[in-house]
Amino acid sequence: MNLVLGDGPERTYRLDDPSTCPRPYAAHAAYDPRVHLTYILAQQGHDAHWLSRFTGLPLPAARRIAGAAVLSHA
């Protein structure tokens, strides 16, 4: 997922834990534990505002991650 996590440029981040994927993932995708945690908590029903405050991620990033979590349950 493409996200901006601070003042830097948009980057591609993994939503899952790298150890759960048996095949190589795109080399350009970064793993950030806060993104993974946000994704897990969003799957449990936490809203984007709470996720942003709890993890310290920007609200737009938390919204995108929460949206992806909803789609993963569809």
Side-chain angles (χ1 to χ4, degrees), residues 15-16 34-43 65 68-69 72:
L15 296 176
D16 59 341
R34 297 174 305 155
V35 171
H36 183 211
L37 176 63
T38 301
Y39 185 62
I40 291 170
L41 293 173
Q43 288 178 322
I65 296 167
S72 75

Side-chain angles (χ1 to χ4, degrees), residues 1-2 5 8-9 11-14 16 19 23 25-26 29 33 35 38-39 43 47 59-60 63 66 68 71-73:
M1 169 171 283
N2 292 332
L5 299 186
R11 291 184 61 193
T12 303
Y13 290 91
R14 297 178 58 105
D16 59 341
S19 67
R23 56 192 163 114
Y25 197 77
V35 171
T38 301
Y39 185 62
Q43 288 178 322
D47 68 70
L59 183 56
R63 283 186 178 138
L71 292 176
S72 75
H73 284 293

Side-chain angles (χ1 to χ4, degrees), residues 34 37-38 41 46-57:
R34 297 174 305 155
L37 176 63
T38 301
L41 293 173
H46 294 281
D47 68 70
H49 288 277
W50 183 87
L51 292 164
S52 177
R53 288 190 309 272
F54 185 76
T55 63
L57 292 178

